[in-house]
Amino acid sequence: MMQMDPANAARHANGTFLNRHQGGAPPSRDSLKHARWGDRHVPLRLHNSPANLLTGVLLLGSLGPGTGLPGPVAAGRRVAPGAADAASAPVALLPAAQASGRYAPVAGPRQAPGCGSLGSIANGVVAACVARPRSCSGVMALGALAAVGGLAYVRVAGSASAARYAPVRAREWAQQDALQDTVAAAEVLADDGIPVRLEAALLQIARDCGGDRRCRADAINALLLQVPPATLTQLRQIVARTVPAAQTQQHGGWPLPGAMAAPWIPESALLDLAATLADLYTPAVAAFQDDMEAMVGATVGAGDGRHASDADIRQRWFDANARRQDAIAALLVRDAGPVERLPYALHGLEHLGIADGTEAFNLHVSLPAASTPPTQRVLLVAHGDMIGRALGSEGAYDNASGVATLLHIARQWQAAPSNAGIQLELLVTSHEELGLLGARAYVNDCLQHESCPTFVINVDMTGRGGRGYAISGTGDLAGRPHLGKPTMYLQAPPVSDTEQHARRQLEARLAARGFAAPAAADAPWITSDNIAFQNASIPCVGLSQVGADDARQWKQLETARKAWQQRDAEVDWTRWEAQQDGSIQLSPDDARALDERYQASAAAYYAYQDLRDAHPNAPPVLIHGARDRLHRVNPAMGVDFADALLDGIGHLQWQTATSVDASAPSDR
């Protein structure tokens, strides 16, 4: 190539410049760009320029989770709802070569509808800056405007999206309950050929594998091969229905390629079932079961049966409750902290062989508070005693399940306190079955020392009823029978703003977790330790986990029992017995009136008994007898309810507590 002298080279460059711009000078911004970049297309480089640094941050952010970038997708992989560790431990991976002609949609993350996401905007800005670095500043300005508009849109569309998917979540929760019920009723052959409960086998796997979900899923997958075919088919059908047809994987509001054509084969159904069961039967569920087993084991160690003298039967019952309280105290020390035994004296129980003045104890624990000084005290209460040992009761549903709920909440709360403004305390009462004696003693003491908690939640009977629950506040006392001390019927004590406000918040958080209270007409009244607090106008609610059908039957039984007690109170039993043994003679009118009252009382009693016989699984019938056994409590359901209650406690917000008139409308 022939070389040009410097003068000719300068003239050549000037001529080229003038020809390119038709003889005019270029804009100053383009001149700067041209002077810096020339005609070259160079990759994006990061220096100390704020614009370039911001672009780098966008680039890194777009590669992180939650931006909408598609990650590696395994063909046919499905993850059960609520699988927190599914991404780190996939269990259902299907080779593409196994695809068959049967397809089902794949469940994936749901986003608010729209044409993009913040991650998509960031990706677009980065791509434009890499392709045309000279235009990066303008593109970033447009991207910022788009992001602001997108945030506004998502805020509006998000609520609509949540409402849109609410029926989907409701179906998932209902099917999860169906799966738990089926598992609880199923059996599997052990290695020695002896049938064992499937739920017990799943819980043992959870104990053995701990937090390793892949281990749980693999072990469950092997266990399912031993399940009877009919049961296995039923379980697989329930899990198959947990993936709605309209639910597909999405990226930026658009279906991912192939999302509607995931292969569905028998192996995938089995792996899907194993994954779902691994998410349901976790170490937390096994711990709930272990807590109940410890309490029930201590109870049955005292023996049962009615083939003994009355004194021996009573003594076995006393021993069962003493052993039970010691077991609960040990569990509280292990999971909650130092236990304070709150003593009180028993009176008026000589007819049960309990000497007047005998000392009894409640168990109290204050969980460690967060760094911020607590402003409110929330007391969780569950009674630890049981009754009906001679009839074979193990006191599992009533109320080892309630104590296990407190222990589960204590473990979770200490791991991550949900609300720095709350001091959470646990109270396990004694002698609830004899008239709320432990709770009444605690109430009398806290009133005397002006140390009563801000809000009380009494938990009695959980682990049954799926996602149904019953709640009773102080306003529900009006016109209801009060068990434990006279008079039988009370007017409602004043209802504080604190109780109404906290109850509404609890109901909202429970609803967000899929738990529903029955209609007011079917809502039973919780006759437990909550009564002692409510009669003292200490803000309190009573909670039980119970399904809609059981709640309706419970309400019917309570109504029938109340009618019987009213009729029974109208009978002068002293005169009736004296007439029966002939010690007195009544006039014909008096005798007829007494007999009519007696017949009305007898009719009400038999109506009540007929309802009990017709509803053997209603909570009032299930307890205090041979039907209250450990296997009737579903630990997975109990943990679901405990987690929902913990979520409600952690989100409580407080307002000034002032009394309102007892006639104020109920906040149900």
Side-chain angles (χ1 to χ4, degrees), residues 202-560:
L202 293 171
L203 291 170
Q204 188 57 49
I205 289 173
R207 297 184 187 102
D208 295 340
C209 292
D212 188 344
R213 180 180 179 276
R214 181 60 179 266
C215 171
R216 298 199 305 271
D218 289 344
I220 292 172
N221 194 29
L223 175 68
L224 293 176
L225 300 178
Q226 305 175 46
V227 175
T231 302
L232 184 60
T233 298
Q234 185 179 5
L235 293 171
R236 287 168 58 180
Q237 288 174 344
I238 294 172
V239 172
R241 292 196 297 269
T242 62
V243 183
Q247 191 176 336
T248 61
Q249 286 182 314
Q250 294 183 345
H251 166 56
W254 297 94
L256 289 175
M260 300 299 293
W264 178 263
I265 59 177
E267 289 81 1
S268 72
L270 193 63
L271 291 171
D272 197 32
L273 175 59
T276 303
L277 292 174
D279 291 326
L280 287 179
Y281 291 90
T282 62
V285 175
F288 191 98
Q289 176 74 9
D290 292 342
D291 291 341
M292 288 195 300
E293 288 182 2
M295 288 177 269
V296 168
T299 304
V300 301
D304 62 359
R306 306 187 69 177
H307 302 291
S309 66
D310 290 345
D312 289 340
I313 291 174
R314 283 198 300 267
Q315 189 58 47
R316 284 203 301 261
W317 172 46
F318 298 156
D319 291 344
N321 277 322
R323 291 168 178 251
R324 189 179 177 97
Q325 189 177 48
D326 289 342
I328 293 172
L331 294 172
L332 288 170
V333 170
R334 183 197 68 189
D335 291 338
V339 174
E340 182 182 9
R341 290 179 178 261
L342 306 180
Y344 64 95
L346 297 174
H347 299 284
L349 300 177
E350 292 86 350
H351 62 289
L352 295 177
I354 301 176
D356 196 59
T358 297
E359 193 172 51
F361 298 91
N362 293 321
L363 304 175
H364 179 267
V365 180
S366 293
L367 298 181
S371 57
T372 302
T375 58
Q376 309 292 341
R377 293 170 55 213
V378 174
L379 180 68
L380 289 179
V381 181
H383 74 86
D385 62 311
M386 55 82 61
I387 199 170
R389 184 72 200 117
L391 300 176
S393 172
E394 295 178 349
Y397 185 42
D398 183 26
N399 184 37
S401 63
V403 177
T405 299
L406 266 60
L407 290 165
H408 175 84
I409 290 176
R411 290 189 290 266
Q412 304 303 315
W413 184 273
Q414 294 191 96
S418 300
N419 191 322
I422 289 179
Q423 170 69 64
L424 191 62
E425 302 175 23
L426 310 180
L427 178 69
V428 178
T429 63
S430 59
H431 297 301
E432 184 266 355
E433 301 291 1
L434 296 183
L436 323 177
L437 301 183
R440 288 166 55 189
Y442 177 89
V443 167
N444 291 337
D445 184 75
C446 82
L447 289 174
Q448 180 180 353
H449 294 88
E450 297 183 349
S451 60
C452 294
T454 307
F455 184 55
V456 181
I457 303 173
N458 181 64
V459 183
D460 198 344
M461 300 186 298
T462 66
R464 291 181 61 87
R467 295 190 178 270
Y469 75 97
I471 185 169
S472 289
T474 303
D476 300 316
L477 278 176
R480 299 279 191 163
H482 167 59
L483 306 182
K485 66 177 183 179
T487 59
M488 182 63 72
Y489 299 99
L490 302 176
Q491 295 299 315
V495 184
S496 71
D497 287 344
T498 296
E499 180 179 313
Q500 293 192 25
H501 188 57
R503 174 175 173 172
R504 284 193 290 266
Q505 292 180 79
L506 281 179
E507 290 175 331
R509 299 305 298 187
L510 288 169
R513 292 293 190 109
F515 286 88
D522 297 330
W525 183 56
I526 311 299
T527 55
S528 183
D529 282 332
N530 54 293
I531 304 301
F533 292 92
Q534 290 163 340
N535 268 321
S537 296
I538 298 173
C540 176
V541 295
L543 280 173
S544 291
Q545 186 176 9
V546 58
D549 290 340
D550 283 347
R552 187 178 306 108
Q553 295 163 6
W554 187 351
K555 179 65 174 293
Q556 292 172 355
L557 284 163
E558 286 295 307
T559 301

Side-chain angles (χ1 to χ4, degrees), residues 102-159:
R102 302 172 63 193
Y103 300 98
V106 178
R110 297 188 290 271
Q111 302 181 9
C115 58
S117 65
L118 295 180
S120 301
I121 295 173
N123 293 337
V125 169
V126 171
C129 287
V130 171
R132 296 187 61 84
R134 303 181 186 185
S135 304
C136 188
S137 299
V139 171
M140 287 200 309
L142 291 175
L145 291 175
V148 172
L151 285 173
Y153 171 79
V154 168
R155 184 166 185 175
V156 175
S159 58

